[in-house]
Amino acid sequence: AGEVSGFDGIPDPRRLEVAPYLVTKNVTRAAGGAGATDATGATGASWRHPQEFTAGADVKVGLSSNLTLDATLNPDFGQVEADPARLNLSAFELFFEERRPFFLEGAGIFDFRTNCEDVDQGCTGLFYSRRVGRSPALRGRYGDESSASASRILAAAKLSGRLSRGLSIGFLDALTEREVGTQGRTIEPQTNFAVARLSQDLRQGKTSIGVMVTAVNRALDEWSTPYLRRSGYTGGIDLRHRFLANNYELTGYVAGSLVQGSETSITALQLDGVHRYQRSDGALEFDSTRTSVAGVAQRLSVSKLGGGRARFQSVYQRFGAGFESNDLGFQSR
C-alpha cells in the first residue's frame, strides 16, 4: 500500500458513546395444578405469566486516537445471530465462531494461536471468547427445561488499541453470574475471566514479539466442586520474524498452563478426550489424588513465503500431556 503524508496538528476527538437498553417480556410457564387449558385444548394444567424486566448499557470511551475502552453492564445479545444447528458424533468439542459485537471489536489483538492443525475450525489459541457467557456446564446434571441456556454476563470491560510506536495492547475482564437449576443447585458458578495481551512490532512490522496471560477463577460450592475446576491459568510468549527480503519467516511460541481443582475434577481432566492419561501408548502417570495439572506447549516453524517459484514450511510442534487451555482457550487434543 502507498504512504500518505502531510497530516499534522489534527486534534484527538473526545469519543464517548453510551447505549442503554431496556427489555421487558411476558413469559408463559406451567405452574402445575388444575383448572387451565393449554394451547392444544387439554385441561388439567395451570399457567402463570410473569413479567421479566432487564436493563443494561454499553459504553465506549476513546482514551486517545487509537486506544479505546469498552465496557458493558448486563449486555443484551438478543439480536445476535443464532449458531447453526450441528450434530456432534465425535469425541471432540465443537467450535463455534464468535458473533457478539463486544468481543468481535479488536479481536485480532487477543490472537495467540497454539493450534492450526484442525482445518474445520481454523486456528485456535489461548483465548476463545465463547467461554465467557457459555452454556452452564452442569445444566444437564442439575437443570431442566426452564434453566438458563447461557451464563449471564454481569459486567465486562475491554481496553484495546495500538500505540504510535507499534505496541498493541489488549486487556479484558468479565464477570458472569451464578446460574442455578432445580432445587437451587448450581449449574454454573460465578466466574471471573481475565486476559492481558501485549505485542510489539519492530523493523517496520517485519518482526514482532508478544506476551499473553489468561486467568479464570470460579466461586465453587458443594454442587460444582466435584465437577468443575476452581481455577485455570495460561501464559505464553510468541515471536514472528521476516528476513531475506521478506521472503522467509520464522515463527514460534512457548506457552504454559496450570489448572487447579478437587481430586474428582482433576481426575476427570486427566481422563477426558483431550488428555487421555489412561492411554497405553506412552509413559503418562495417571494419579487420582492430584489437585492440579500443569503443562507446556511449543511450536517453531520456518517458511518460505515469496521469491522464486519454491515454497515450503517446516514445523516442530509439541504439546505436553498436562497442557490445558480450555478454561478460556480452545484445545481439542
Side-chain angles (χ1 to χ4, degrees):
E3 294 184 1
V4 180
S5 60
F7 296 96
D8 300 307
I10 299 176
D12 292 338
R14 292 289 184 180
R15 296 178 289 121
L16 174 62
E17 301 176 17
V18 180
Y21 79 88
L22 300 173
V23 175
T24 181
K25 60 182 178 180
N26 186 277
V27 182
T28 299
R29 293 176 178 167
T37 301
D38 61 16
T40 64
T43 60
S46 61
W47 304 87
R48 56 191 179 91
H49 310 277
Q51 198 76 16
E52 295 184 358
F53 174 83
T54 58
D58 296 327
V59 181
K60 185 184 295 291
V61 181
L63 302 181
S64 67
S65 61
N66 49 11
L67 198 61
T68 302
L69 175 66
D70 294 282
T72 183
L73 299 174
N74 191 23
D76 174 31
F77 297 126
Q79 302 303 316
V80 176
E81 181 182 357
D83 293 317
R86 297 173 64 184
L87 178 62
N88 186 9
L89 299 178
S90 75
F92 304 107
E93 178 185 8
L94 293 178
F95 179 87
F96 291 94
E97 294 182 356
E98 180 60 80
R99 301 173 184 270
R100 298 167 294 181
F102 176 82
F103 295 102
L104 285 175
E105 294 182 10
I109 294 177
F110 296 92
D111 191 20
F112 191 112
R113 299 178 177 182
T114 57
N115 185 17
C116 294
E117 309 307 318
D118 293 331
V119 178
D120 60 330
Q121 62 200 31
C123 294
T124 59
L126 296 186
F127 180 50
Y128 176 44
S129 56
R130 291 291 296 264
R131 300 293 185 205
V132 184
R134 67 177 184 177
S135 176
L138 302 179
R139 188 173 187 266
R141 182 174 296 273
Y142 298 134
D144 57 16
E145 64 277 1
S146 65
S147 301
S149 59
S151 305
R152 187 162 72 99
I153 301 175
L154 297 175
K158 179 177 63 176
L159 176 67
S160 61
R162 179 182 171 88
L163 303 184
S164 58
R165 295 189 176 183
L167 178 64
S168 297
I169 299 175
F171 295 99
L172 185 146
D173 191 87
L175 179 67
T176 58
E177 186 179 37
R178 172 180 178 252
E179 302 291 348
V180 298
T182 58
Q183 302 177 16
R185 295 175 294 185
T186 301
I187 58 176
E188 184 71 27
Q190 179 175 296
T191 307
N192 188 85
F193 302 88
V195 185
R197 172 69 157 153
L198 297 173
S199 181
Q200 177 67 57
D201 281 352
L202 305 169
R203 301 172 60 243
Q204 291 78 47
K206 298 177 183 177
T207 301
S208 66
I209 184 170
V211 60
M212 185 170 186
V213 293
T214 73
V216 176
N217 291 279
R218 300 182 177 91
L220 301 182
D221 53 22
E222 58 182 305
W223 298 290
S224 54
T225 294
Y227 306 106
L228 301 180
R229 299 184 287 274
R230 182 176 69 255
S231 60
Y233 306 99
T234 67
I237 299 174
D238 60 342
L239 169 72
R240 178 184 58 82
H241 177 63
R242 291 279 182 95
F243 58 99
L244 295 180
N246 286 339
N247 291 327
Y248 294 83
E249 183 179 74
L250 173 71
T251 64
Y253 75 81
V254 177
S257 68
L258 171 66
V259 294
Q260 299 170 314
S262 65
E263 292 181 358
T264 306
S265 65
I266 299 300
T267 293
L269 171 67
Q270 295 177 75
L271 301 178
D272 70 11
V274 177
H275 303 278
R276 297 199 182 279
Y277 272 71
Q278 75 277 25
R279 64 182 184 261
S280 58
D281 60 347
L284 300 181
E285 296 182 2
F286 168 70
D287 186 352
S288 61
T289 65
R290 285 183 179 176
T291 57
S292 66
V293 169
V296 178
Q298 309 95 8
R299 179 185 170 99
L300 182 67
S301 70
V302 179
S303 309
K304 186 174 187 293
L305 306 175
R309 297 183 178 181
R311 303 288 184 271
F312 73 85
Q313 182 180 60
S314 183
V315 178
Y316 169 81
Q317 179 170 271
R318 175 185 177 274
F319 289 93
F323 182 74
E324 168 61 35
S325 60
N326 278 321
D327 287 283
L328 192 48
F330 190 93
Q331 173 190 356
S332 61
R333 46 188 166 174

